[in-house]
Amino acid sequence: DIPAIQKPVLGLYDRLMWESISSKAMRLQKCRECGQFRYPPGPTCSFCLSLKFDWELISGQAIIWSWVIFHRQYLEAYPTPYNVISIQLKEGPLMFSNLVGPTPTGSWIGELVNICYDDIGGDFILPRFRLR
């Protein structure tokens, strides 16, 4: 029985993102001025400083930029060993997550992945990734 992961405190700019994850259709802010996607959500575009944005559905496709396997436990909900991946979404932003399912042999860098939604209990869903 794995302890529950602490849910994020929902703020003004990330509430819609977490609601979209809960409905298994992740959306991110997309700048109306320059078209760049934002992650994490925030008040202004980091490229052009525009305050204008829409919430757009992402493709869920990504590439692994980096990875690590932790053998020391830092959080009760993550027994060792567990992996953390840095991925770049097809839409551009980088984010951290976990790889679920089969793992690559050798280096994971450059592996193509797709988003999957992991119901971790307590009515909470996390975006994670699987190899394509």
Side-chain angles (χ1 to χ4, degrees), residues 51-95:
L51 297 171
K52 300 174 184 173
F53 64 88
D54 295 305
W55 287 93
E56 298 282 334
L57 183 66
I58 62 166
S59 68
Q61 298 176 357
I63 187 169
I64 297 177
W65 269 44
S66 186
W67 61 281
V68 64
I69 296 177
F70 285 95
H71 296 278
R72 180 175 178 191
Q73 188 168 4
Y74 295 96
L75 301 170
E76 191 177 348
Y78 287 90
T80 60
Y82 66 93
N83 70 66
V84 175
I85 57 174
S86 172
I87 56 103
Q88 182 176 29
L89 296 169
K90 181 178 179 182
E91 292 76 10
L94 294 170
M95 65 183 287

Short mmCIF file of all heavy atoms in Angstrom, two decimals, residues 51-95:
data_model
loop_
_atom_site.label_atom_id
_atom_site.label_comp_id
_atom_site.label_asym_id
_atom_site.label_seq_id
_atom_site.Cartn_x
_atom_site.Cartn_y
_atom_site.Cartn_z
N LEU A 51 0.39 39.16 -21.81
CA LEU A 51 -0.53 38.66 -20.79
C LEU A 51 -1.66 37.85 -21.40
O LEU A 51 -2.48 37.29 -20.67
CB LEU A 51 -1.12 39.84 -20.00
CG LEU A 51 -0.12 40.69 -19.21
CD1 LEU A 51 -0.80 41.94 -18.67
CD2 LEU A 51 0.49 39.88 -18.09
N LYS A 52 -1.73 37.78 -22.72
CA LYS A 52 -2.85 37.13 -23.41
C LYS A 52 -2.52 35.67 -23.70
O LYS A 52 -1.45 35.36 -24.23
CB LYS A 52 -3.15 37.85 -24.71
CG LYS A 52 -3.53 39.31 -24.53
CD LYS A 52 -3.67 40.00 -25.86
CE LYS A 52 -3.94 41.48 -25.66
NZ LYS A 52 -3.91 42.20 -26.93
N PHE A 53 -3.45 34.79 -23.35
CA PHE A 53 -3.24 33.36 -23.60
C PHE A 53 -4.57 32.63 -23.68
O PHE A 53 -5.60 33.13 -23.24
CB PHE A 53 -2.36 32.72 -22.51
CG PHE A 53 -2.99 32.75 -21.14
CD1 PHE A 53 -3.82 31.72 -20.72
CD2 PHE A 53 -2.75 33.81 -20.27
CE1 PHE A 53 -4.40 31.74 -19.46
CE2 PHE A 53 -3.32 33.84 -19.01
CZ PHE A 53 -4.15 32.81 -18.60
N ASP A 54 -4.52 31.45 -24.26
CA ASP A 54 -5.65 30.52 -24.29
C ASP A 54 -5.14 29.19 -23.73
O ASP A 54 -3.94 28.93 -23.72
CB ASP A 54 -6.15 30.30 -25.72
CG ASP A 54 -6.74 31.56 -26.33
OD1 ASP A 54 -7.66 32.13 -25.72
OD2 ASP A 54 -6.25 31.98 -27.40
N TRP A 55 -6.07 28.35 -23.29
CA TRP A 55 -5.71 27.00 -22.83
C TRP A 55 -5.90 26.05 -24.01
O TRP A 55 -7.00 25.91 -24.53
CB TRP A 55 -6.58 26.58 -21.65
CG TRP A 55 -6.20 27.30 -20.41
CD1 TRP A 55 -6.75 28.46 -19.93
CD2 TRP A 55 -5.16 26.94 -19.50
NE1 TRP A 55 -6.11 28.83 -18.78
CE2 TRP A 55 -5.14 27.91 -18.48
CE3 TRP A 55 -4.26 25.88 -19.44
CZ2 TRP A 55 -4.25 27.87 -17.41
CZ3 TRP A 55 -3.38 25.84 -18.37
CH2 TRP A 55 -3.38 26.81 -17.38
N GLU A 56 -4.81 25.41 -24.46
CA GLU A 56 -4.83 24.54 -25.63
C GLU A 56 -4.48 23.10 -25.24
O GLU A 56 -3.57 22.87 -24.44
CB GLU A 56 -3.83 25.02 -26.69
CG GLU A 56 -4.12 26.40 -27.24
CD GLU A 56 -5.23 26.41 -28.25
OE1 GLU A 56 -5.47 25.36 -28.90
OE2 GLU A 56 -5.87 27.47 -28.40
N LEU A 57 -5.18 22.17 -25.86
CA LEU A 57 -4.89 20.74 -25.68
C LEU A 57 -3.52 20.43 -26.27
O LEU A 57 -3.20 20.88 -27.37
CB LEU A 57 -5.97 19.92 -26.39
CG LEU A 57 -5.89 18.41 -26.27
CD1 LEU A 57 -6.14 17.98 -24.83
CD2 LEU A 57 -6.93 17.77 -27.18
N ILE A 58 -2.70 19.67 -25.53
CA ILE A 58 -1.39 19.28 -26.06
C ILE A 58 -1.50 17.91 -26.73
O ILE A 58 -2.42 17.14 -26.46
CB ILE A 58 -0.30 19.26 -24.97
CG1 ILE A 58 -0.62 18.24 -23.87
CG2 ILE A 58 -0.09 20.66 -24.40
CD1 ILE A 58 0.55 17.93 -22.96
N SER A 59 -0.55 17.61 -27.60
CA SER A 59 -0.54 16.35 -28.34
C SER A 59 -0.23 15.16 -27.44
O SER A 59 -0.62 14.04 -27.74
CB SER A 59 0.49 16.40 -29.48
OG SER A 59 1.81 16.45 -28.92
N GLY A 60 0.52 15.40 -26.37
CA GLY A 60 0.95 14.31 -25.49
C GLY A 60 2.21 13.62 -25.97
O GLY A 60 2.69 12.68 -25.34
N GLN A 61 2.79 14.09 -27.07
CA GLN A 61 4.02 13.51 -27.59
C GLN A 61 5.21 14.28 -27.04
O GLN A 61 5.15 15.50 -26.89
CB GLN A 61 4.03 13.56 -29.11
CG GLN A 61 2.92 12.76 -29.74
CD GLN A 61 2.89 12.92 -31.25
OE1 GLN A 61 3.67 13.67 -31.83
NE2 GLN A 61 1.98 12.22 -31.89
N ALA A 62 6.28 13.53 -26.75
CA ALA A 62 7.46 14.17 -26.16
C ALA A 62 8.70 13.34 -26.44
O ALA A 62 8.62 12.22 -26.96
CB ALA A 62 7.26 14.33 -24.65
N ILE A 63 9.85 13.91 -26.08
CA ILE A 63 11.13 13.23 -26.22
C ILE A 63 11.86 13.36 -24.88
O ILE A 63 11.79 14.40 -24.23
CB ILE A 63 11.97 13.82 -27.38
CG1 ILE A 63 13.24 13.01 -27.62
CG2 ILE A 63 12.27 15.30 -27.15
CD1 ILE A 63 13.97 13.39 -28.91
N ILE A 64 12.53 12.29 -24.48
CA ILE A 64 13.29 12.32 -23.22
C ILE A 64 14.60 13.08 -23.44
O ILE A 64 15.37 12.75 -24.33
CB ILE A 64 13.57 10.89 -22.70
CG1 ILE A 64 12.26 10.16 -22.37
CG2 ILE A 64 14.49 10.95 -21.46
CD1 ILE A 64 12.43 8.72 -21.92
N TRP A 65 14.82 14.09 -22.61
CA TRP A 65 16.05 14.88 -22.63
C TRP A 65 17.07 14.34 -21.64
O TRP A 65 18.27 14.39 -21.88
CB TRP A 65 15.75 16.33 -22.29
CG TRP A 65 15.44 17.18 -23.47
CD1 TRP A 65 14.64 16.84 -24.52
CD2 TRP A 65 15.92 18.49 -23.73
NE1 TRP A 65 14.58 17.87 -25.40
CE2 TRP A 65 15.35 18.90 -24.94
CE3 TRP A 65 16.73 19.36 -23.04
CZ2 TRP A 65 15.60 20.15 -25.49
CZ3 TRP A 65 16.98 20.60 -23.58
CH2 TRP A 65 16.42 20.98 -24.80
N SER A 66 16.57 13.87 -20.50
CA SER A 66 17.46 13.38 -19.46
C SER A 66 16.68 12.45 -18.55
O SER A 66 15.45 12.46 -18.56
CB SER A 66 18.04 14.55 -18.65
OG SER A 66 19.01 14.09 -17.74
N TRP A 67 17.39 11.66 -17.76
CA TRP A 67 16.73 10.71 -16.86
C TRP A 67 17.66 10.35 -15.72
O TRP A 67 18.88 10.51 -15.81
CB TRP A 67 16.30 9.45 -17.61
CG TRP A 67 17.45 8.71 -18.23
CD1 TRP A 67 18.11 9.02 -19.39
CD2 TRP A 67 18.12 7.56 -17.71
NE1 TRP A 67 19.13 8.13 -19.62
CE2 TRP A 67 19.15 7.21 -18.60
CE3 TRP A 67 17.92 6.79 -16.57
CZ2 TRP A 67 19.98 6.14 -18.39
CZ3 TRP A 67 18.76 5.70 -16.36
CH2 TRP A 67 19.77 5.39 -17.28
N VAL A 68 17.06 9.88 -14.65
CA VAL A 68 17.82 9.42 -13.49
C VAL A 68 16.98 8.36 -12.78
O VAL A 68 15.76 8.40 -12.83
CB VAL A 68 18.16 10.60 -12.54
CG1 VAL A 68 16.91 11.20 -11.93
CG2 VAL A 68 19.14 10.17 -11.46
N ILE A 69 17.65 7.43 -12.16
CA ILE A 69 16.98 6.45 -11.30
C ILE A 69 17.47 6.71 -9.88
O ILE A 69 18.68 6.67 -9.61
CB ILE A 69 17.27 5.00 -11.73
CG1 ILE A 69 16.70 4.77 -13.12
CG2 ILE A 69 16.67 4.02 -10.71
CD1 ILE A 69 16.97 3.40 -13.70
N PHE A 70 16.53 7.01 -8.99
CA PHE A 70 16.87 7.29 -7.60
C PHE A 70 16.87 5.99 -6.80
O PHE A 70 15.95 5.19 -6.89
CB PHE A 70 15.86 8.26 -6.98
CG PHE A 70 16.05 9.68 -7.44
CD1 PHE A 70 15.32 10.18 -8.50
CD2 PHE A 70 16.97 10.50 -6.80
CE1 PHE A 70 15.49 11.49 -8.92
CE2 PHE A 70 17.15 11.80 -7.22
CZ PHE A 70 16.41 12.30 -8.29
N HIS A 71 17.93 5.81 -6.02
CA HIS A 71 18.06 4.65 -5.14
C HIS A 71 17.97 5.05 -3.67
O HIS A 71 18.09 4.20 -2.80
CB HIS A 71 19.38 3.91 -5.42
CG HIS A 71 19.42 3.34 -6.79
ND1 HIS A 71 18.84 2.14 -7.12
CD2 HIS A 71 19.94 3.83 -7.95
CE1 HIS A 71 19.02 1.89 -8.41
NE2 HIS A 71 19.68 2.91 -8.93
N ARG A 72 17.76 6.34 -3.45
CA ARG A 72 17.54 6.86 -2.09
C ARG A 72 16.12 7.42 -2.05
O ARG A 72 15.73 8.16 -2.95
CB ARG A 72 18.53 7.95 -1.77
CG ARG A 72 18.36 8.51 -0.39
CD ARG A 72 19.43 9.51 -0.06
NE ARG A 72 19.16 10.05 1.26
CZ ARG A 72 19.78 11.08 1.78
NH1 ARG A 72 20.73 11.67 1.08
NH2 ARG A 72 19.47 11.51 2.97
N GLN A 73 15.40 7.08 -1.03
CA GLN A 73 14.02 7.53 -0.93
C GLN A 73 13.95 8.92 -0.30
O GLN A 73 14.47 9.15 0.78
CB GLN A 73 13.18 6.55 -0.10
CG GLN A 73 11.71 6.87 -0.13
CD GLN A 73 10.87 5.74 0.43
OE1 GLN A 73 11.38 4.74 0.91
NE2 GLN A 73 9.57 5.93 0.37
N TYR A 74 13.30 9.84 -1.03
CA TYR A 74 13.12 11.21 -0.55
C TYR A 74 11.67 11.47 -0.14
O TYR A 74 11.41 12.28 0.73
CB TYR A 74 13.53 12.22 -1.62
CG TYR A 74 15.01 12.17 -1.92
CD1 TYR A 74 15.50 11.43 -2.99
CD2 TYR A 74 15.92 12.84 -1.13
CE1 TYR A 74 16.85 11.37 -3.27
CE2 TYR A 74 17.28 12.79 -1.39
CZ TYR A 74 17.74 12.05 -2.47
OH TYR A 74 19.07 11.99 -2.73
N LEU A 75 10.74 10.82 -0.82
CA LEU A 75 9.32 11.00 -0.55
C LEU A 75 8.68 9.66 -0.24
O LEU A 75 8.96 8.65 -0.91
CB LEU A 75 8.62 11.64 -1.76
CG LEU A 75 9.16 13.00 -2.19
CD1 LEU A 75 8.54 13.40 -3.53
CD2 LEU A 75 8.89 14.05 -1.13
N GLU A 76 7.83 9.64 0.76
CA GLU A 76 7.20 8.40 1.21
C GLU A 76 6.43 7.70 0.08
O GLU A 76 6.39 6.48 0.01
CB GLU A 76 6.25 8.72 2.37
CG GLU A 76 5.73 7.50 3.08
CD GLU A 76 4.86 7.86 4.27
OE1 GLU A 76 4.83 9.04 4.68
OE2 GLU A 76 4.20 6.95 4.78
N ALA A 77 5.84 8.48 -0.81
CA ALA A 77 5.02 7.92 -1.89
C ALA A 77 5.85 7.31 -3.02
O ALA A 77 5.29 6.70 -3.93
CB ALA A 77 4.08 8.98 -2.44
N TYR A 78 7.17 7.51 -3.00
CA TYR A 78 8.03 6.99 -4.06
C TYR A 78 9.06 6.01 -3.49
O TYR A 78 10.20 6.40 -3.21
CB TYR A 78 8.75 8.14 -4.78
CG TYR A 78 7.86 8.95 -5.67
CD1 TYR A 78 7.18 10.05 -5.20
CD2 TYR A 78 7.71 8.60 -7.02
CE1 TYR A 78 6.36 10.80 -6.02
CE2 TYR A 78 6.90 9.35 -7.85
CZ TYR A 78 6.22 10.45 -7.35
OH TYR A 78 5.42 11.18 -8.17
N PRO A 79 8.69 4.74 -3.34
CA PRO A 79 9.68 3.77 -2.87
C PRO A 79 10.76 3.56 -3.94
O PRO A 79 10.50 3.68 -5.14
CB PRO A 79 8.86 2.50 -2.65
CG PRO A 79 7.61 2.68 -3.42
CD PRO A 79 7.38 4.16 -3.60
N THR A 80 11.96 3.27 -3.49
CA THR A 80 13.07 3.09 -4.42
C THR A 80 13.06 1.69 -5.02
O THR A 80 12.51 0.77 -4.41
CB THR A 80 14.42 3.33 -3.71
OG1 THR A 80 14.53 2.40 -2.65
CG2 THR A 80 14.52 4.74 -3.21
N PRO A 81 13.67 1.52 -6.16
CA PRO A 81 14.16 2.57 -7.05
C PRO A 81 13.00 3.17 -7.87
O PRO A 81 12.03 2.48 -8.15
CB PRO A 81 15.14 1.83 -7.96
CG PRO A 81 14.60 0.45 -8.05
CD PRO A 81 13.96 0.18 -6.70
N TYR A 82 13.13 4.43 -8.22
CA TYR A 82 12.13 5.07 -9.09
C TYR A 82 12.86 6.02 -10.03
O TYR A 82 13.96 6.48 -9.75
CB TYR A 82 11.05 5.80 -8.28
CG TYR A 82 11.55 6.99 -7.50
CD1 TYR A 82 11.50 8.27 -8.03
CD2 TYR A 82 12.07 6.83 -6.22
CE1 TYR A 82 11.95 9.36 -7.32
CE2 TYR A 82 12.53 7.92 -5.50
CZ TYR A 82 12.47 9.18 -6.05
OH TYR A 82 12.93 10.25 -5.34
N ASN A 83 12.23 6.27 -11.17
CA ASN A 83 12.86 7.12 -12.18
C ASN A 83 12.19 8.48 -12.25
O ASN A 83 11.02 8.63 -11.91
CB ASN A 83 12.86 6.45 -13.55
CG ASN A 83 11.47 6.35 -14.16
OD1 ASN A 83 10.85 7.36 -14.49
ND2 ASN A 83 10.97 5.12 -14.30
N VAL A 84 12.96 9.45 -12.69
CA VAL A 84 12.46 10.78 -13.02
C VAL A 84 13.02 11.11 -14.39
O VAL A 84 14.21 10.90 -14.65
CB VAL A 84 12.89 11.83 -11.99
CG1 VAL A 84 12.47 13.24 -12.42
CG2 VAL A 84 12.32 11.50 -10.61
N ILE A 85 12.15 11.59 -15.28
CA ILE A 85 12.59 11.95 -16.63
C ILE A 85 12.34 13.44 -16.86
O ILE A 85 11.39 14.01 -16.35
CB ILE A 85 11.88 11.12 -17.72
CG1 ILE A 85 10.36 11.24 -17.63
CG2 ILE A 85 12.32 9.66 -17.65
CD1 ILE A 85 9.61 10.54 -18.78
N SER A 86 13.23 14.04 -17.62
CA SER A 86 13.03 15.39 -18.13
C SER A 86 12.64 15.22 -19.58
O SER A 86 13.38 14.59 -20.36
CB SER A 86 14.32 16.21 -18.01
OG SER A 86 14.16 17.45 -18.67
N ILE A 87 11.46 15.72 -19.93
CA ILE A 87 10.99 15.54 -21.31
C ILE A 87 10.72 16.90 -21.93
O ILE A 87 10.44 17.88 -21.23
CB ILE A 87 9.72 14.65 -21.38
CG1 ILE A 87 8.58 15.19 -20.51
CG2 ILE A 87 10.03 13.23 -20.97
CD1 ILE A 87 7.54 15.88 -21.30
N GLN A 88 10.82 16.93 -23.26
CA GLN A 88 10.38 18.12 -23.99
C GLN A 88 9.13 17.74 -24.76
O GLN A 88 9.14 16.82 -25.57
CB GLN A 88 11.44 18.63 -24.95
CG GLN A 88 10.97 19.90 -25.66
CD GLN A 88 12.01 20.51 -26.56
OE1 GLN A 88 12.86 19.81 -27.10
NE2 GLN A 88 11.94 21.82 -26.74
N LEU A 89 8.06 18.44 -24.44
CA LEU A 89 6.80 18.22 -25.15
C LEU A 89 6.95 18.64 -26.61
O LEU A 89 7.74 19.55 -26.92
CB LEU A 89 5.67 19.03 -24.51
CG LEU A 89 5.30 18.64 -23.08
CD1 LEU A 89 4.38 19.69 -22.47
CD2 LEU A 89 4.65 17.27 -23.06
N LYS A 90 6.20 18.02 -27.50
CA LYS A 90 6.21 18.40 -28.92
C LYS A 90 5.93 19.89 -29.07
O LYS A 90 6.45 20.54 -29.96
CB LYS A 90 5.16 17.57 -29.66
CG LYS A 90 5.10 17.85 -31.14
CD LYS A 90 4.06 16.96 -31.81
CE LYS A 90 3.98 17.26 -33.29
NZ LYS A 90 2.96 16.43 -33.94
N GLU A 91 5.13 20.43 -28.15
CA GLU A 91 4.76 21.84 -28.19
C GLU A 91 5.88 22.77 -27.69
O GLU A 91 5.77 23.98 -27.80
CB GLU A 91 3.49 22.07 -27.35
CG GLU A 91 2.24 21.46 -27.94
CD GLU A 91 2.12 19.94 -27.76
OE1 GLU A 91 2.92 19.33 -27.00
OE2 GLU A 91 1.23 19.35 -28.39
N GLY A 92 6.95 22.19 -27.12
CA GLY A 92 8.10 22.99 -26.74
C GLY A 92 8.52 22.97 -25.29
O GLY A 92 9.71 22.88 -24.99
N PRO A 93 7.59 23.11 -24.32
CA PRO A 93 8.02 23.19 -22.93
C PRO A 93 8.70 21.91 -22.42
O PRO A 93 8.39 20.80 -22.87
CB PRO A 93 6.72 23.43 -22.16
CG PRO A 93 5.80 24.04 -23.14
CD PRO A 93 6.15 23.39 -24.46
N LEU A 94 9.60 22.13 -21.45
CA LEU A 94 10.23 21.02 -20.74
C LEU A 94 9.46 20.78 -19.45
O LEU A 94 8.95 21.72 -18.84
CB LEU A 94 11.67 21.36 -20.38
CG LEU A 94 12.65 21.53 -21.53
CD1 LEU A 94 13.95 22.11 -21.01
CD2 LEU A 94 12.90 20.22 -22.23
N MET A 95 9.36 19.52 -19.06
CA MET A 95 8.74 19.20 -17.77
C MET A 95 9.37 17.93 -17.21
O MET A 95 10.02 17.18 -17.94
CB MET A 95 7.21 19.08 -17.89
CG MET A 95 6.70 17.95 -18.74
SD MET A 95 4.88 17.93 -18.91
CE MET A 95 4.37 17.39 -17.30
#
